């Protein structure tokens, strides 16, 4: 009988893609993948360390999984916590059998084998080997209609607050020809939407031109977008974009190709030049707003979303006011707000001038309410418009409503049945809620 592996994923889309990739490799090696943690022979936790709370979750889960005394299951920690903590995980949680770094996803079967051959505390924090498999089998994808396609791994930016350059290493871009092949295959399999993913997709810089030949554009990323659009994939989204590398040609490409979706996620992190400098982001608020101007002046209305950290060390009330001002100016479609979380090993962890927890909470709530008001107006503007929605699943609130995302990445609810799942439908928007839209399907 085949041995069963259960994978639980925390954190970002890159982790979801890594879990899919690990599952593909394990299945090729003869394992079965299961949704049941209890009956699995091997349990893998794919972890996130971007904020302290995410990191703590893993140790809670290890405790829960190991509450029975027999410890018959093999337990592996993979992802960012694994890469950063290395063998100290074995000390902190001695019932863990494997520590699998962020670039060891294709070598897990071999690690399990070593444990079964009698080794203990098996660890792999090495780089990816040359020619390792990037491809993911469709059966392991998180959705039968939407696929995550990594185009670049790692990060070279070293923003002072961020642990990612340490957990995921330097930027490595995939060759465009390989990405084009994967997307064409996904299209043939019936996928309706792909998300090109990476810590900074627009820093895409492959070692070879392969697959970009005859694709015009000002940067390798905008050329890749055109190559993606030419595959004929119905909907193409991409995230995350880094402001400093956000070339206006990205907007031009979106204007040229309707299948490049009308959504840009461009995290600003702060509206204060002083804080941006301390964060080592490499741009000022004015630089950022110039990018936003190009996005807002696009011939296609584009949805704009962002991330902001409140309570970075030394952030004063005046700095915070600058952030409020910028948020009011940008009229974001959605905003992810985070309280600064100190990450050991990052430059910002050395900074003294900490903002108190209560101050962080207070700023978080004030920013949230400013955004809520701005967002209400942005969302009201969608009422009366028609959006193209990929129906994904029944609503959790009602069996007669379907939920999906628009090309501009809004959650849209509309009356419909489960049989619509996987179809792209046109929805006339009739009502806006705080974080979602409601409408009626338009039948052609
Ligand atoms: N504290 C709080 N938020 C953080 N992020 C990254 N590092 C930290 C940190 N140390 C946020 C940033 C980033 C998002 C993915 O997570 O806003 O854009
Ligand atoms: Fe972290 Fe900055 Fe890299 Fe984003 S760009 S992953 S915030 S270091």
């Amino acid at each position: 009988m085949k041995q069963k592996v259960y994978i639980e994923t925390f954190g970002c889309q890159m982790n979801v893609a890594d879990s899919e990739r690990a599952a593909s490799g394990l299945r090729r090696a003869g394992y079965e993948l299961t949704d049941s943690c209890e009956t699995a022979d091997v349990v893998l936790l794919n972890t996130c360390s971007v904020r302290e709370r995410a990191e703590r979750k893993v140790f809670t889960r290890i405790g829960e999984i190991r509450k029975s005394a027999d410890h018959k299951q093999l337990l592996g920690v993979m992802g960012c916590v694994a890469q950063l903590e290395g063998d100290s995980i074995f000390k902190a949680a001695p019932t863990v059998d494997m520590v699998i770094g962020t670039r060891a996803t294709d070598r897990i079967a071999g690690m399990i084998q070593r444990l079964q051959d009698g080794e203990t505390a098996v660890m792999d924090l090495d780089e990816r080997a040359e020619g390792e498999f990037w491809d993911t089998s469709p059966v392991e994808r998180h959705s039968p209609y939407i696929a995550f396609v990594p185009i670049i791994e790692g990060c070279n930016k070293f923003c002072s607050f961020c642990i990612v350059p340490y957990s995921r290493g330097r930027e490595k871009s995939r060759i465009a020809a390989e990405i084009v092949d994967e997307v064409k295959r996904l299209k043939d399999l019936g996928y309706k939407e792909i998300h090109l993913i990476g810590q900074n997709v627009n820093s895409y810089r492959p070692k070879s031109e392969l697959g970009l030949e005859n694709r015009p554009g000002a940067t390798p990323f905008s050329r890749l977008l055109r190559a993606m659009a030419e595959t004929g994939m119905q909907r193409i989204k991409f995230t995350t974009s880094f402001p400093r590398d956000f070339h206006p040609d990205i907007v031009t490409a979106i204007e040229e190709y309707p299948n490049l979706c009308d959504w840009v996620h461009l995290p600003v992190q702060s509206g204060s030049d002083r804080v941006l400098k301390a964060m080592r982001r490499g741009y000022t608020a004015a630089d950022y707003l110039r990018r936003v101007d190009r996005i807002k002046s696009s011939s296609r209305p584009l949805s704009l979303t962002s991330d902001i950290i409140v309570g970075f060390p030394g952030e004063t009330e005046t700095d915070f006011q600058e952030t409020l001002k910028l948020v009011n100016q940008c009229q974001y479609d959605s905003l992810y707000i985070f309280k600064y979380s100190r990450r050991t090993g990052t430059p910002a962890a050395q900074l003294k001038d900490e903002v108190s927890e209560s101050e962080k909470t207070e700023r978080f709530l004030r920013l949230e309410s400013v955004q809520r008001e701005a967002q209400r107006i942005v969302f009201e503007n969608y009422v009366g418009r028609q959006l193209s929605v990929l129906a994904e699943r029944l609503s959790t609130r009602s069996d007669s409503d379907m939920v999906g995302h628009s090309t501009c990445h809004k959650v849209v609810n509309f009356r419909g049945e489960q049989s619509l799942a996987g179809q792209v439908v046109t929805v006339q928007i009739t009502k806006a809620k705080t974080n979602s839209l409601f409408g009626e399907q338009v039948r052609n």
Side-chain angles (χ1 to χ4, degrees):
M1 219 173 67
K2 285 185 175 181
Q3 294 196 58
K4 296 197 195 91
V5 182
Y6 167 79
I7 309 182
E8 195 167 298
T9 309
F10 303 88
C12 66
Q13 292 172 329
M14 197 51 95
N15 267 14
V16 173
D18 279 345
S19 290
E20 293 172 350
R21 186 170 164 180
S24 304
L26 286 164
R27 207 183 285 268
R28 272 198 305 276
Y31 292 89
E32 194 177 305
L33 275 295
T34 170
D35 291 335
S36 148
C37 180
E38 286 73 26
T39 61
D41 302 294
V42 182
V43 174
L44 300 176
L45 303 177
N46 193 1
T47 60
C48 169
S49 60
V50 76
R51 283 169 294 274
E52 192 188 348
R53 197 143 48 133
E55 191 166 316
R56 273 208 307 262
K57 249 191 238 162
V58 186
F59 291 96
T60 314
R61 274 304 279 146
I62 293 172
E64 285 165 6
I65 291 164
R66 289 311 203 195
K67 64 183 179 296
S68 73
D70 63 11
H71 296 181
K72 270 203 248 123
Q73 294 174 311
L74 293 179
L75 178 57
V77 175
M78 54 188 283
C80 291
V81 178
Q83 188 71 40
L84 292 164
E85 303 291 325
D87 58 5
S88 69
I89 293 182
F90 296 129
K91 293 194 195 87
T95 62
V96 169
D97 301 296
M98 277 179 287
V99 170
I100 305 157
T102 47
R103 283 143 290 168
T105 37
D106 300 333
R107 298 188 290 267
I108 303 174
M111 296 174 74
I112 297 174
Q113 190 58 53
R114 281 164 57 193
L115 286 168
Q116 287 169 342
D117 290 346
E119 260 186 76
T120 55
V122 171
M123 179 166 86
D124 182 344
L125 304 180
D126 295 341
E127 290 294 325
R128 291 208 194 277
E130 210 46 54
E132 263 178 342
F133 216 66
W134 274 89
D135 208 359
T136 295
S137 151
V139 283
E140 317 303 350
R141 300 266 181 194
H142 70 285
S143 153
Y145 333 113
I146 303 171
F148 292 159
V149 178
I151 64 163
I152 176 169
E153 280 192 302
C155 183
N156 293 352
K157 306 290 186 286
F158 290 94
C159 302
S160 63
F161 53 80
C162 186
I163 200 71
V164 168
Y166 310 91
S167 62
R168 290 197 168 269
R170 296 296 73 74
E171 286 171 1
K172 253 199 204 113
S173 298
R174 262 175 104 179
I175 303 295
E178 197 185 296
I179 307 171
V180 169
D181 280 351
E182 182 176 347
V183 171
K184 281 185 181 159
R185 253 185 326 225
L186 289 166
K187 184 180 165 228
D188 292 343
L189 287 164
Y191 282 84
K192 301 286 167 50
E193 182 172 303
I194 56 157
H195 292 215
L196 303 175
I197 62 167
Q199 252 67 45
N200 298 295
V201 282
N202 54 336
S203 310
Y204 177 72
R205 207 163 295 279
K207 278 207 186 117
S208 121
E209 278 279 295
L210 226 61
L212 293 179
E213 307 93 339
N214 309 319
R215 300 288 169 224
T219 64
F221 181 62
S222 59
R223 295 172 66 198
L224 179 73
L225 281 180
R226 291 181 172 95
M228 292 288 100
E230 292 286 343
T231 62
M233 172 56 72
Q234 201 168 350
R235 296 151 64 109
I236 300 159
K237 296 180 178 176
F238 56 90
T239 180
T240 292
S241 296
F242 187 68
R244 200 181 58 206
D245 296 345
F246 192 87
H247 196 285
D249 190 40
I250 295 171
V251 180
T252 310
I254 297 175
E255 288 171 336
E256 286 165 12
Y257 291 97
N259 55 344
L260 296 178
C261 288
D262 43 354
W263 166 47
V264 176
H265 182 58
L266 197 65
V268 67
Q269 311 300 359
S270 170
S272 150
D273 286 345
R274 220 178 55 81
V275 173
L276 286 170
K277 191 155 184 231
M279 287 178 164
R280 304 188 188 163
R281 292 286 288 181
Y283 56 84
T284 61
D287 296 332
Y288 180 84
L289 289 169
R290 267 195 299 280
R291 268 57 167 190
V292 170
D293 277 347
R294 176 66 187 100
I295 293 165
K296 299 272 178 187
S297 67
S298 162
S299 59
R300 269 173 87 184
L302 302 182
S303 155
L304 178 67
T305 59
S306 192
D307 297 345
I308 282 182
I309 296 176
V310 295
F312 184 81
E315 183 189 70
T316 62
E317 174 61 24
T318 315
D319 293 320
F320 180 63
Q321 292 285 342
E322 299 278 311
T323 296
L324 292 178
K325 191 170 130 209
L326 180 134
V327 167
N328 267 320
Q329 271 170 297
C330 288
Q331 297 284 302
Y332 289 121
D333 288 68
S334 164
L335 183 63
Y336 300 90
I337 310 169
F338 305 101
K339 292 188 218 171
Y340 171 72
S341 168
R342 191 173 166 276
R343 308 280 61 217
T344 307
T346 60
Q350 309 294 330
L351 300 174
K352 291 269 165 333
D353 210 1
E354 283 195 25
V355 176
S356 71
E357 200 49 41
S358 60
E359 190 73 6
K360 280 185 205 166
T361 304
E362 200 252 347
R363 288 182 190 165
F364 181 99
L365 294 172
R366 276 160 72 201
L367 180 56
E368 191 180 52
S369 101
V370 165
Q371 171 59 22
R372 198 179 301 123
E373 183 50 27
Q375 196 169 315
R376 196 180 59 74
I377 296 163
V378 173
F379 273 47
E380 286 294 336
N381 274 328
Y382 282 94
V383 175
R385 276 178 59 186
Q386 293 191 352
L387 299 181
S388 155
V389 176
L390 172 52
E392 287 159 39
R393 55 174 176 80
L394 276 177
S395 153
T396 43
R397 296 222 182 86
S398 151
D399 277 352
S400 53
D401 284 349
M402 287 295 286
V403 190
H405 283 86
S406 62
T407 52
C408 57
H409 213 56
K410 298 276 173 305
V411 174
V412 180
N413 295 267
F414 61 98
R415 202 163 312 128
E417 290 171 3
Q418 173 67 36
S419 59
L420 283 173
Q423 289 186 39
V424 173
V425 297
T426 304
V427 176
Q428 169 94 22
I429 303 303
T430 54
K431 200 165 79 184
K433 289 211 171 174
T434 315
N435 289 308
S436 59
L437 298 170
F438 284 76
E440 299 291 335
Q441 187 183 349
V442 179
R443 287 170 210 279
N444 302 315

